[in-house]
Amino acid sequence: ILTDKRLRVYLDGTLMATDERVASPSEAVGVPFIIGANANLKDGFEGYLDEVKIWNRALDPKEIYLINK
């Protein structure tokens, strides 16, 4: 979840990490959206990503819980 320049990462409905240094999507116009690697495609995630979901709004913790129940 990205709101007010704060990123929240959930795994199976559980908050795993937060980061306040991330740019908003509107600041990254023309830059590819990448999951599993940094912007220069180095230091990539070694493994598989399964069931990645992207919404056009921030979900609240209760919605996240219900989706992953």
Side-chain angles (χ1 to χ4, degrees):
I1 297 175
L2 177 60
T3 56
D4 300 323
K5 294 193 178 187
R6 173 179 278 192
L7 175 70
R8 293 181 187 94
V9 177
Y10 287 82
L11 175 63
D12 295 331
T14 301
L15 180 63
M16 301 300 290
T18 61
D19 190 339
E20 295 187 31
R21 299 167 291 162
V22 76
S24 72
S26 63
E27 294 172 359
V29 174
V31 177
F33 181 74
I34 300 168
I35 297 175
N38 59 21
N40 63 10
L41 300 178
K42 293 185 178 180
D43 304 317
F45 174 77
E46 294 184 25
Y48 296 96
L49 298 174
D50 185 32
E51 296 186 40
V52 174
K53 300 174 185 177
I54 300 172
W55 281 262
N56 63 353
R57 65 179 179 84
L59 303 178
D60 65 46
K62 183 177 180 180
E63 289 175 303
I64 294 168
Y65 171 78
L66 291 173
I67 289 168
N68 290 285
K69 181 174 145 167

